[in-house]
Amino acid sequence: MSGAGPAAGGGQGDGADTAPAGEKTDTSSDDDSLAELGYKPELKRTLGNFHTFAAGISYISILTGTFQLFYFGVNHGGPAYWWSWPMVFCGQLMVALCFCEMAARYPVAGSVYNWSKQLGGPHVGWLGGWMMMTATMVSLAAVALAYQVTLPQISSFFQFVGDGSGRTDQAANAVLLGAVLVVFTTLVNAFGVKLMAQINSAGVAIELVAALALIVLLAAHITRGPGAVTETYGLGRGESLGYLGAFLTASLASAYVMYGFDTASSLGEESKDPGRNAPRAILRALFASFLIGGLILLFALLATPDLHDKRLAVDGLQYVVLSALGTTIGDIMLWCVVIAITVCALAVHTAGIRLAFAMARDTNLPAASLLARVSPRFQTPVAPAVIIGCIAVCILLVNINQPQIFSVITSIAIIMIYVAYLMVTVPMLVRRLRGQWEPAEGKFSLGRFGLPVNILAVLWGTAMATNLAWPRAEVYNANGPQHWYLRWGAFLFVGIVAVGGFTYYWFIQRKRTCVLAGHAAETPAEEPENPDRSEGSGAPASS
């Protein structure tokens, strides 16, 4: 699993015939592609095929997403919401295929940031990285809140704040449990990528085994035929779009789950032969999530004792598992969900660290030299791990008395990730139309299908971002009095983050942008020094 094949792309390094066969040659080739971007290798290459696959699939996290959001889909779209799962998969597959070409061409940390920078220039790159980083920190807090959805259902022992019946008991307890999880992911990420990969891979293995077992157990308890997934509960009746409107709302439950596959490529500087392994890991993570998650959702709908039970739209899959499989087996499965939530949070935190490191290396964040420093002992950026963890805990504190506002911000974080993806696919499409895009030779390429796939990826990303941001009361103002700023929260928050962040970049950060001297690729002695490089500041970060 962890061994890498021969170095790809002939002609990269004439001295390969004198180097020992195996890992050293692969590492040399990988480092050559990194030097092409202007960076020197600093992170230790220890990750193999399964590690990169595990990073992608743990970010998607089948069990975390399905158990956390099943209730939302059923509540707003009925059992027929299941069809949003293959719909979202087809759209995200178009994006993933574009990312596979990018991962083969640029296997680098902070993938979305560096890809958008290479394709659209430094300004587009910064905005894409900024949107992704903001979204990642909020997503880490949101994933940590999932402990509250599962642990108290296993045992009331985990309800540390009150008994759960108070107005803010559950929200406050969610913050406590979530903070413990964020502290754990911070410590693991600070102690090095090898420890993170070992825990993540073990957790993913448990999650996959548990998910397959859950599919078999639910299939053994089916009580109705597949026609149940056409049941709409009459939702959308009397509305202008009819059931389509209800379905588009319910589809958010699937859209919230099936993203983050780019994490497999964000570890490119710590992976062996990433130009070949990262595209495979991206596709494997997405296909595995689609197949396993789709079957869990399908069999859960067919195995639930009563499709009209109100608990189905409140407790979701937890109710199905406990009622259909019994308390003992159900609790075992819920413990596996807890493990899935843990490795999901770990993967989200890891992706955020690599993104912060990549942006700081280009002097595109405040305190860049601190954020870009790689610990000589742990071979990982420690400062970003701690800072991102602290910010995530601060975001969690919003949930204590304002859970509705937190749900708005969480939804918006997903929108920003879809927008950040567009920062890659749109410039990539422009490059294709101009005839300027060249995939990595001898590695993953879409060939003549590249243009139609890229067009579909842009159309899908635009449509889904719009659907996610649509000012629905069900999503952005579900409880309490109606407020216009909550209903339009997506446009307001994304606008503030994008415009405010870019204003800061344009007037302050842009003037400092260059690769930090300690991170820039060394200029060969025989080449004259580039006069554009400032002494002691490294190379310009623009592509």
Side-chain angles (χ1 to χ4, degrees):
M1 287 183 183
S2 59
Q12 290 189 359
D14 296 333
D17 56 344
T18 63
E23 186 176 323
K24 185 175 181 180
T25 303
D26 294 337
T27 302
S28 176
S29 176
D30 299 337
D31 293 345
D32 287 344
S33 63
L34 190 60
E36 182 185 345
L37 298 174
Y39 307 121
K40 73 176 184 180
E42 298 175 85
L43 304 176
K44 192 173 181 180
R45 295 191 183 276
T46 59
L47 306 183
N49 291 347
F50 186 77
H51 293 133
T52 51
F53 162 75
I57 201 168
S58 60
Y59 196 121
I60 298 174
S61 191
I62 310 156
L63 293 183
T64 301
T66 53
F67 272 80
Q68 192 174 14
L69 294 161
F70 179 81
Y71 84 93
F72 183 92
V74 173
N75 190 39
H76 294 290
Y81 109 90
W82 181 87
W83 294 100
S84 67
W85 190 260
M87 178 191 77
V88 170
F89 166 74
C90 291
Q92 291 295 74
L93 177 60
M94 301 299 104
V95 178
L97 289 171
C98 292
F99 281 11
C100 285
E101 278 198 330
M102 292 301 301
R105 184 74 178 84
Y106 302 113
V108 61
S111 50
V112 168
Y113 160 70
N114 271 302
W115 294 346
S116 55
K117 183 183 71 175
Q118 292 300 317
L119 293 169
H123 308 329
V124 174
W126 190 91
L127 186 59
W130 171 248
M131 299 288 277
M132 193 73 181
M133 178 170 296
T134 306
T136 298
M137 290 186 291
V138 177
S139 294
L140 175 58
V143 172
L145 284 176
Y147 263 1
Q148 179 64 26
V149 181
T150 304
L151 281 173
Q153 293 209 38
I154 296 174
S155 171
S156 59
F157 169 79
F158 294 104
Q159 183 63 44
F160 297 106
V161 180
D163 59 3
S165 61
R167 189 176 66 87
T168 61
D169 284 1
Q170 293 191 24
N173 198 68
V175 171
L176 178 60
L177 295 175
V180 171
L181 176 54
V182 172
V183 169
F184 171 77
T185 62
T186 301
L187 291 174
V188 170
N189 274 298
F191 280 109
V193 69
K194 190 172 183 180
L195 176 62
M196 180 280 298
Q198 289 173 340
I199 294 175
N200 195 53
S201 297
V204 166
I206 294 172
E207 179 177 4
L208 291 175
V209 171
L212 293 174
L214 181 59
I215 290 171
V216 173
L217 291 170
L218 289 174
H221 289 78
I222 286 177
T223 60
R224 62 185 59 82
V229 294
T230 62
E231 176 62 54
T232 65
Y233 290 168
L235 295 166
R237 188 176 299 160
E239 301 293 332
S240 57
L241 293 178
Y243 181 70
L244 176 61
F247 179 79
L248 291 175
T249 300
S251 69
L252 271 58
S254 299
Y256 284 174
V257 178
M258 224 175 297
Y259 69 92
F261 39 80
D262 56 290
T263 306
S265 57
S266 197
L267 295 171
E269 294 181 38
E270 296 151 277
S271 306
K272 301 173 184 178
D273 197 9
R276 294 187 183 277
N277 290 336
R280 297 170 185 168
I282 289 172
L283 292 180
R284 287 169 181 167
L286 186 60
F287 272 97
S289 299
F290 164 67
L291 291 173
I292 297 174
L295 289 175
I296 288 176
L297 295 175
L298 175 63
F299 290 143
L301 290 168
L302 303 185
T304 185
D306 182 4
L307 277 177
H308 297 280
D309 193 309
K310 292 182 179 180
R311 288 176 291 178
L312 191 65
V314 176
D315 296 329
L317 268 179
Q318 287 85 341
Y319 156 72
V320 177
V321 168
L322 292 173
S323 59
L325 305 183
T327 303
T328 302
I329 296 178
D331 283 348
I332 293 173
M333 286 299 162
L334 291 185
W335 273 116
C336 292
V337 173
V338 171
I339 293 173
I341 295 169
T342 303
V343 295
C344 178
L346 188 60
V348 173
H349 202 156
T350 301
I353 293 167
R354 271 58 191 173
L355 181 58
F357 167 77
M359 294 185 71
R361 183 170 55 183
D362 285 348
T363 326
N364 266 330
L365 288 177
S369 58
L370 174 64
L371 292 173
R373 183 178 181 272
V374 177
S375 168
R377 179 180 179 184
F378 301 117
Q379 294 293 300
T380 190
V382 175
V386 176
I387 292 173
I388 290 173
C390 290
I391 293 175
V393 171
C394 290
I395 295 172
L396 278 172
L397 295 176
V398 177
N399 193 61
I400 293 180
N401 294 315
Q402 298 291 341
Q404 180 169 291
I405 291 184
F406 188 86
S407 68
V408 171
I409 296 176
T410 303
S411 301
I412 292 167
I414 313 302
I415 299 170
M416 290 194 292
I417 289 177
Y418 276 76
V419 171
Y421 284 1
L422 283 170
M423 295 290 180
V424 176
T425 56
V426 171
M428 190 179 197
L429 179 58
V430 173
R431 288 284 186 106
R432 288 187 195 278
L433 294 173
R434 292 176 176 174
Q436 297 174 338
W437 170 246
E438 294 182 6
E441 185 177 351
K443 297 180 182 178
F444 187 93
S445 174
L446 293 173
R448 66 178 184 273
F449 297 105
L451 181 59
V453 166
N454 204 158
I455 291 173
L456 289 173
V458 171
L459 292 175
W460 163 257
T462 304
M464 205 59 197
T466 303
N467 184 38
L468 286 163
W470 203 256
R472 298 180 177 91
E474 304 95 319
V475 177
Y476 296 106
N477 206 165
N479 302 309
Q482 298 296 302
H483 299 289
W484 70 269
Y485 53 85
L486 289 179
R487 288 283 292 271
W488 292 89
F491 294 94
L492 288 172
F493 191 84
V494 173
I496 290 172
V497 170
V499 175
F502 195 77
T503 300
Y504 161 79
Y505 163 76
W506 187 260
F507 289 103
I508 299 176
Q509 203 66 48
R510 176 175 63 97
K511 303 172 185 177
R512 306 171 182 172
T513 299
C514 67
V515 180
L516 288 171
H519 301 265
E522 296 181 3
T523 305
E526 66 273 15
E527 292 184 9
E529 186 175 353
N530 187 335
D532 291 334
R533 296 188 181 188
S534 56
E535 290 187 21
S537 300
S542 57
S543 58

